């Protein structure tokens, strides 16, 4: 058992970071003593303040832009960059020097995430940083802010949980763990954000959560953050007379969230300006997007506000005289977000896709369809059979259902401060349920929309000590490696590919998968690459299951994995018989190893996180 005094939870968000902590010495069972760290950060040149959130923005100033001491932090002195509130505010006026959405770039398989590519549209004279380094700087600031506020409790001696989207693939999880290690996190675990939100709801209930849910309940967690939409299903079952929570499914990685809404609002305002005779250029549109983000947060958090003024500076020397002045109204916000991102659709609706053009700008692979309700319909439809294999829930499966029927909904993310958005999703979902003769889903009240993820992560670290209720589930997907058949060359015919299961669905942290009996040949002395697949619907496959064919909904191809196996004692290019071994670490990352026949050697097989942009 850990001897750490504090369990620290960190929400490494796309637009905000937060840190919460549980004092394990002052907590007992489900009665916890929990706080949120007020994070010291720059709020202006040379101005330090403490705020509950650290905006996930990194500003890279020109060497002559600021005076000496303007970027001074009390624990490090002068720095060459700024993160947090000052970075966000400064960057709104000079967006070419602002790094944002680093978390979304960190999981982008089409780029080298260790290369200096951000800001992605900055001119050559602006120094760039990698998505990995950006994440390291946010996490480092949180560690240093903790140690500044708690000099008697060194960060490295505490248990730390960092949250990630449930839909993060193994490569993105590994990169997050790498960033945390580089930031000085020595005792770190990863936790899915929807689970963290539910943990926070449980903790806030003070033990009363058992009165709000019952055996057979299926809780749908809808988490719309700054960069992603995360969907998860968690079932309530009974075991040995006690209620237990089991995560049964997570959705695909949907790059759709507050960033998309900010851009949509910016275009609405830009069209309004164009109608008034003012045409915003590309640079001003980007600055307008940042202004709309702040205006959106104001309107969502302040019900009394009906309009928020917007000021976008000119690129010329007459900054004041050339500024664009306009406003964002509550009506524009509601119509744009409600109708554009939460349309009323039926349960058979699916995300729309359009033909892609041959050339596109390098950028984030945003979801093509902005309709979150259509993504929700697709998720529930794909998981219609998810309960059939879960002990204690088979009798709760609805007959002839076209989608899985949730009985309760928990929301997370700042956009749901708008009751209109909550009502739209609840109304749409309950319309689907009524059409199939099912009871309406109920709303789980009491969610902390800004801080739930950090608070839930801290509570999870406490729960890992056996001190509270834990959500079970293991890996959210089964994982497979492609095996190319050995066959003679046939003109016009590619060798058929099979998929070998190397890690089954629901594999728990800290466990190993038994070695499959099959052996495969690996080339030594030179880099080799493997195709890699994941499935959120094939729950029966075990390690060693070999698939000859599969439907497009069953397996999704993920990033390649690669290995350069040492040729020591062998001839370069020699094919060595190996078995494959999978392990889910205590931190929550997936490790794959190749073990040669008759040897104690273990060769690590790594995820290809350099991207395939140059392939």
């Amino acid at each position: 058992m850990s001897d750490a005094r504090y369990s620290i939870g960190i929400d490494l968000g796309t637009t905000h970071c937060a840190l919460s902590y549980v004092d394990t010495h002052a907590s007992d069972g489900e009665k916890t003593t929990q706080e949120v760290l007020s994070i010291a950060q720059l709020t202006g040149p040379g101005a330090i303040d403490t705020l509950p959130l650290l905006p996930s923005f990194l500003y890279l100033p020109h060497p002559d832009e600021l005076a000496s001491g303007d970027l001074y932090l009390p624990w490090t002195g002068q720095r060459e960059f700024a993160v947090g509130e000052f970075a966000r505010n400064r960057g709104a006026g000079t967006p070419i020097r602002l790094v944002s959405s680093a978390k979304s770039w960190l999981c982008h398989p089409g780029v080298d995430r260790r290369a200096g590519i951000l800001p992605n549209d900055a001119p050559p004279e602006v120094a760039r940083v990698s998505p990995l380094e950006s994440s390291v700087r946010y996490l480092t600031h949180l560690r240093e802010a903790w140690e500044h506020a708690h000099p008697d409790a060194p960060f490295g001696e505490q248990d730390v949980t960092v949250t990630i989207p449930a839909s993060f693939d193994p490569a993105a999880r590994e990169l997050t763990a790498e960033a945390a290690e580089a930031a000085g996190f020595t005792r770190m675990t990863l936790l899915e954000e929807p689970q963290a939100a539910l943990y926070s709801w449980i903790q806030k209930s003070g033990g009363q959560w058992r009165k709000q849910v019952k055996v057979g309940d299926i809780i749908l967690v809808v988490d719309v953050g700054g960069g992603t939409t995360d969907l998860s299903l968690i079932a309530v079952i009974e075991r040995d007379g006690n209620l237990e929570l089991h995560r049964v499914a997570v959705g695909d990685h949907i790059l759709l969230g507050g960033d998309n809404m900010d851009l949509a609002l910016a275009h609405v305002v830009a069209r309004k300006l164009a109608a008034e005779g003012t045409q915003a250029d590309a640079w001003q549109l980007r600055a307008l997007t940042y202004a709309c983000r702040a205006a959106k947060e104001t309107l969502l958090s302040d019900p009394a506000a009906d309009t928020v003024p917007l000021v976008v500076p000119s690129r010329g020397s007459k900054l004041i005289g050339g500024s664009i002045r306009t406003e964002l109204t509550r009506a524009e916000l509601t119509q744009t977000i409600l109708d554009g991102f939460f349309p009323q659709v039926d349960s058979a609706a699916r995300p729309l896709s359009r033909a892609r053009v041959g050339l596109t700008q390098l950028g984030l692979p945003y979801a093509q369809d902005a309709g979150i309700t259509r993504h929700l319909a697709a998720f529930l439809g794909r998981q219609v059979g998810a309960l059939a294999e879960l002990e204690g829930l088979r009798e709760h499966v609805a007959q002839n259902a076209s989608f899985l029927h949730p009985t309760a909904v928990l929301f997370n993310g700042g956009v749901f401060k708008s009751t209109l958005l909550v009502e739209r999703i609840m109304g749409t979902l309950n319309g689907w349920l009524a059409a199939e003769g099912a009871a309406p889903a109920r709303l789980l009240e009491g969610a902390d929309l800004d801080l739930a993820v950090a608070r839930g992560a801290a509570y999870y670290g406490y729960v890992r000590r056996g001190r509270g209720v834990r959500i079970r589930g293991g890996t959210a997907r089964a994982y497979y490696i492609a095996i190319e058949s050995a066959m003679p060359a046939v003109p016009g015919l590619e060798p058929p590919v099979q998929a070998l299961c190397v890690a089954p669905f629901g594999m728990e942290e800290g466990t190993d998968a038994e070695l499959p009996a099959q052996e495969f040949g690996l080339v030594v002395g030179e880099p080799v690459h493997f195709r890699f697949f994941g499935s959120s619907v094939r729950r029966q496959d075990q390690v060693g299951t070999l698939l000859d064919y599969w439907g497009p909904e069953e397996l999704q191809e993920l990033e390649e994995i690669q290995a350069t196996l040492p040729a020591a004692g062998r001839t370069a290019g020699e094919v060595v018989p190996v078995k494959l071994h999978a392990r889910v670490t205590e931190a929550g990352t997936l490790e794959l190893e190749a073990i040669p026949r008759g040897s104690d050697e273990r060769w690590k097989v790594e995820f290809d996180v350099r991207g395939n942009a140059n392939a």
Side-chain angles (χ1 to χ4, degrees), residues 365-386:
Y366 290 115
Q368 288 185 281
D369 190 332
I372 290 172
T373 41
R374 283 189 284 269
H375 290 283
L376 175 59
F379 169 61
L380 294 177
R382 190 165 55 249
Q383 298 298 337
V384 65

Side-chain angles (χ1 to χ4, degrees), residues 229-570:
T229 290
D230 241 356
L231 303 170
S232 288
L233 291 164
I234 297 172
V236 183
I237 67 171
E238 183 177 12
R239 181 167 298 174
D240 300 327
N242 296 314
L243 290 184
E244 281 196 0
L245 299 169
H246 279 247
R247 195 258 286 109
V248 294
V250 300
D252 293 334
H253 189 67
I254 307 171
L255 211 59
L256 174 61
D259 288 353
N260 307 69
M261 298 176 193
D262 301 333
L263 184 59
L265 292 169
H267 279 282
V268 167
V269 175
R271 285 195 296 269
K272 182 169 64 174
L273 288 169
E276 298 169 354
T278 301
Q279 189 69 45
D281 61 23
W283 182 88
Q284 289 171 322
L285 182 62
R286 183 169 176 186
L288 187 60
T289 302
Y290 288 115
C292 284
R293 169 182 288 138
K296 178 195 71 180
E297 292 174 357
T298 299
L299 289 169
L300 289 177
S301 60
D302 183 3
D306 288 324
T307 62
V308 176
L310 303 175
V311 179
V312 179
S314 166
R315 298 189 69 172
S317 57
K318 297 180 180 179
L319 293 178
I320 302 301
S323 295
I324 299 174
R325 297 177 180 274
T326 183
E327 64 183 18
L328 178 69
T329 68
R330 182 172 295 279
E332 291 167 337
L333 174 86
T334 299
Q335 182 178 10
T336 302
I337 295 180
L338 191 67
D339 297 339
F341 292 87
F342 299 92
Q344 288 183 304
V345 298
D346 61 36
S347 63
R350 295 295 182 264
L352 305 174
S353 60
R354 55 180 170 78
R356 305 297 292 267
V357 297
L359 292 176
T360 182
Q361 289 183 326
L362 289 178
L364 291 171
Y366 290 115
Q368 288 185 281
D369 190 332
I372 290 172
T373 41
R374 283 189 284 269
H375 290 283
L376 175 59
F379 169 61
L380 294 177
R382 190 165 55 249
Q383 298 298 337
V384 65
L387 305 182
E389 294 132 23
L390 190 59
E391 184 179 349
L393 283 179
R394 296 185 185 95
E395 62 272 22
H396 295 277
V397 176
Q399 298 299 315
N400 302 317
S402 66
F403 65 96
L404 189 146
H405 293 174
T407 60
V409 183
L410 179 71
F411 289 99
N412 188 55
V415 298
F416 292 119
K417 291 177 182 177
S418 169
T419 57
L420 282 174
L421 302 186
V422 171
E423 291 168 357
R424 170 59 63 88
I425 288 188
M426 293 300 296
T428 301
L429 174 62
N430 284 332
W432 301 345
L433 292 168
E436 297 199 350
R442 61 191 184 278
L443 175 65
L444 297 183
E445 305 279 1
D448 185 340
L449 296 170
D450 281 331
L451 296 168
V453 169
R455 293 179 64 92
Y459 182 66
Y460 168 75
Y462 172 74
V463 164
R464 278 170 58 88
R465 303 178 178 210
R467 310 274 293 275
V469 60
R470 185 167 180 180
I471 302 169
R472 304 289 178 180
T475 56
R477 292 174 176 79
Y479 294 106
Y480 307 77
I481 286 180
I483 306 296
E484 185 176 290
S485 300
M487 62 173 287
V490 177
L493 179 66
E494 293 187 359
V497 170
Q498 297 173 302
L500 173 72
C501 181
V502 293
F505 183 93
M507 190 171 169
E508 294 278 356
E509 294 91 343
T511 61
D512 293 59
E514 293 184 10
L515 293 173
Q518 295 98 325
E519 285 189 331
F520 304 94
L522 286 187
V523 178
V524 298
E526 59 188 57
V528 292
H529 294 260
F530 307 87
R531 293 173 66 189
F532 191 53
F533 303 91
S535 175
S536 63
V537 296
R538 295 191 64 95
R539 291 170 166 77
Q540 299 276 10
D541 294 343
Q542 299 300 312
V543 173
T545 298
L546 199 58
L547 306 180
D548 292 315
Y549 58 89
W550 53 88
E553 287 288 310
E554 291 186 281
L555 266 62
Q556 290 78 46
E557 188 155 3
L558 306 175
E559 297 176 42
E560 286 187 336
I561 54 178
Q562 61 182 354
T564 301
L565 309 181
R570 303 178 180 88

Side-chain angles (χ1 to χ4, degrees), residues 147-176:
E147 292 180 333
H148 181 67
H150 295 84
D152 57 336
F155 190 88
E157 296 178 8
Q158 314 311 316
D159 291 332
V160 181
T161 301
V162 177
T163 61
I164 53 173
S167 52
F168 258 21
D169 67 13
R173 290 169 185 254
E174 183 65 36
L175 280 165
T176 306

Side-chain angles (χ1 to χ4, degrees), residues 10 33-34 61 95 100 111 119 125 153 173 225-226 253 357 370 398 498 532 581:
I10 289 178
T33 299
Q34 185 165 13
S100 63
V111 300
E125 65 269 16
R173 290 169 185 254
H253 189 67
V357 297
Q498 297 173 302
F532 191 53
H581 174 236

